[in-house]
Amino acid sequence: MKEIPIFFASDNNYAPYLAVAVKSLLDNSSKDYFYKIYVLTSKIHDTFKEKIAKVLTENSSLEYVCVDKEMEKLKDKLFLRDYYSFETYYRFFIPDMFPQYKKVIYLDCDIYVKEDISKMYNTNITNYMVGAVSDQAFRDLSKDFANYARKVLDINVHKVFNAGVLLINSEMFRATNILGRFVKLLEKYKFRVTQDEDYLNVLCKDKVKYLHRGWNKMPFQDNYPESKVKIIHYNLHLKPWHYNNIRFEDYFWNTAKQTDFYEEIKLQLQYYSDEKKEKDALAFEKLRQIAVEEINNKNNYRNIKKREQFGFYNIIKTIKLIFKIPVISFFTRTLRTKGYKLVYGYKNRKIRRAA
């Protein structure tokens, strides 16, 4: 039976939603494959692990992998804000930590898999770093994010992909040293908007296989047909365990009922206070403001890159101009002429001696 490696990153806070995501994946995917599931973590309680284990099937397994050792090297360099945690950066380590795989799937925990995941896995991404979906939130929520994409990331907003659902070409990640380049970029520039996603987008630029939009559909109220949805991504504040009347919420709740976390998740919804909801709204506005600040920052990523490119271009241009100065030009022509004569004369002497 062919194995499909699938990765999540979680902590105790997201363990209940991880259980729902894993169950939805196994319930709706082909039985012709074995799903080798890895959860990258630094801490999940054993009691949570026991509950999650109950959703597994005969054609699946789940292994918890501690990434403390890898994170310790980078922790001081990583930028976090709002609801972000260090787990969001774990996906960078997957190709190097698991060299046995040429290709893997990475999924956020706040998703529901509605379609057979093997169809996504079997997408041909040869010559691409990742298979991913254009980020709907970047496109649709505010023109400031579209401007951020162009003026900070130096990427067209329609080509910015969401990092919550990824088909990763692990072989190419290793061959092009994405992890090493990520670490180097961390030392040089701190992205403040979508952080890990921003790094992935600039590192994988022009090497992205754009997947069908249904493979990462966020529950915005738009005209996208439900029949085409393959993975629901309850992104940002659009989480059915925090708010009522979220689009596609029935999928989540119907599966949550079949897990040992159901009562706990219901309490999350019941006690998600107005204060927390107001905090969500403020967090989004803060995110938009950060995007605007970065657009106007003369030292943002795109501006730094342009200056570096311009500086290199100027060095080359200056060298060329130097060689056009009459004295220098005469000197270099003389050197070339004398050099030619020396080489030509040396060859002639060798020929005469040989004769």
Side-chain angles (χ1 to χ4, degrees), residues 162-207:
N162 180 272
V165 177
L166 295 174
L167 181 59
I168 300 174
N169 186 337
S170 295
E171 200 168 35
M172 187 175 280
F173 262 55
R174 290 188 292 269
T176 57
N177 190 26
I178 286 291
L179 179 58
R181 288 161 60 195
F182 164 59
V183 173
K184 190 174 179 181
L185 189 53
L186 267 179
E187 294 170 347
K188 189 175 186 178
Y189 190 78
K190 296 289 188 291
F191 286 112
R192 299 168 59 213
V193 176
T194 55
Q195 302 174 169
D196 61 302
E197 185 174 302
D198 288 346
Y199 286 107
L200 277 168
N201 268 278
V202 299
L203 290 168
C204 298
K205 184 180 178 182
D206 299 326
K207 287 289 183 181

Side-chain angles (χ1 to χ4, degrees), residues 338-350:
K338 289 190 173 182
Y340 171 76
K341 287 179 178 179
L342 283 169
V343 172
Y344 184 73
Y346 174 73
K347 285 183 177 178
N348 281 343
R349 285 195 298 274
K350 280 187 72 177

